[in-house]
Amino acid sequence: MKLLFVTVATATVMALVACSDDSTGEPAASPNGLPDESNLARAMMLTLADFPTGWAETPQGPGTGTPFSRCVPAGIPAHRSALVESGYFTPGSASSVAENVVIENVEIYDSSDFLESLQSSSSTFADCFVQIINEGKLNSSDASFSNAKASVVAFPNLGDHTDAYRLEFRAQARGQTVLRNEVTVYVEDVQVYVGRVALNVSAQKYFSPFDSTLLESVVRKAVAKVTPPPPLAH
């Protein structure tokens, strides 16, 4: 049950707020001929050294796509030259992955102007997330999800622009009678734009929101790693 909730909740949130498309891994350069800047993006990623002692990183499995692809504005892939994702950062081994999980995405786009055009889209993404959950679009034979809601949360303004949301929903395992087969999942999602780089840090916790002090520390470290690449030649 724990691994199920972590995989579904975190992966779908990243697809929603981090502007990723409905892909099954790291895409190559955009089909419009942009150069592949994935290596630049990887060099800006969080590492295990950026987390407290005792944390571990578990690789993500291959993606399978989510209903949230409809939430992504048309044209995103055409402007994106890199999208890289971290593994699951957790306070312990893979067997204890569940109550706390952090994932980062780093994306590079062809211009900072395009990122500025996305700044008004975060609330739309969050509303789309809520609607899809509450319509039952994410339900499966293993679990059901309901009572989703989203709210803006206070967060320091980092980089050129920062958006921060809290996504909350109920997740219930089907066909299980163990204690705590139903949980409230909280996902703190922070998007920061720096030049033509967009980084997203998503932190999930069960029963109560993720520790705000730790989240701010991790996001600040993520932003400090970003060296905005020069404009692409056209």
Side-chain angles (χ1 to χ4, degrees):
M1 168 188 152
K2 290 183 176 180
L3 288 174
L4 168 67
F5 287 156
V6 168
T7 300
V8 173
T10 311
T12 53
V13 167
M14 297 311 296
L16 168 65
V17 185
C19 304
S20 63
D21 51 31
D22 199 10
S23 58
T24 57
E26 288 185 3
S30 300
N32 66 352
L34 291 175
D36 185 352
E37 297 185 291
S38 297
N39 287 338
L40 286 174
R42 288 189 190 94
M44 304 177 196
M45 295 287 289
L46 289 166
T47 68
L48 199 52
D50 298 311
F51 290 83
T53 301
W55 280 60
E57 183 178 7
T58 304
Q60 292 192 45
T64 57
T66 79
F68 297 114
S69 58
R70 83 183 199 198
C71 301
V72 179
I76 286 268
H79 289 272
R80 186 172 56 205
S81 59
L83 165 60
V84 295
E85 301 177 343
S86 72
Y88 298 122
F89 291 105
T90 61
S93 64
S95 62
S96 65
V97 134
E99 286 81 5
N100 291 274
V101 123
V102 175
I103 287 181
E104 183 193 24
N105 277 12
V106 174
E107 300 174 81
I108 303 178
Y109 287 87
D110 56 359
S111 71
S112 58
D113 289 342
F114 180 74
L115 284 183
E116 288 180 10
S117 73
L118 294 180
Q119 290 179 10
S120 62
S121 300
S122 293
S123 61
T124 303
F125 292 171
D127 291 342
C128 185
F129 171 91
V130 167
Q131 182 180 2
I132 287 176
I133 286 285
N134 290 338
E135 288 175 349
K137 301 295 186 182
L138 198 62
N139 293 351
S140 70
S141 59
D142 297 311
S144 61
F145 303 87
S146 62
N147 298 342
K149 58 185 178 180
S151 58
V152 177
V153 295
F155 201 87
N157 189 35
L158 306 175
D160 299 325
H161 181 81
T162 301
D163 289 313
Y165 284 84
R166 174 173 297 153
L167 308 171
E168 177 185 346
F169 57 93
R170 296 291 291 175
Q172 182 173 17
R174 289 177 168 170
Q176 296 188 29
T177 57
V178 296
L179 292 176
R180 292 188 174 181
N181 73 327
E182 182 176 1
V183 298
T184 300
V185 182
Y186 293 86
V187 180
E188 314 298 314
D189 208 273
V190 182
Q191 182 95 21
V192 182
Y193 300 148
V194 185
R196 57 190 185 91
V197 177
L199 68 88
N200 176 273
V201 176
S202 182
Q204 174 184 287
K205 191 173 186 296
Y206 290 172
F207 303 111
S208 62
F210 193 88
D211 181 81
S212 60
T213 300
L214 176 57
L215 178 60
E216 181 178 336
S217 173
V218 169
V219 174
R220 287 187 180 276
K221 290 177 181 179
V223 174
K225 290 175 177 286
V226 174
T227 302
L232 289 176
H234 291 284

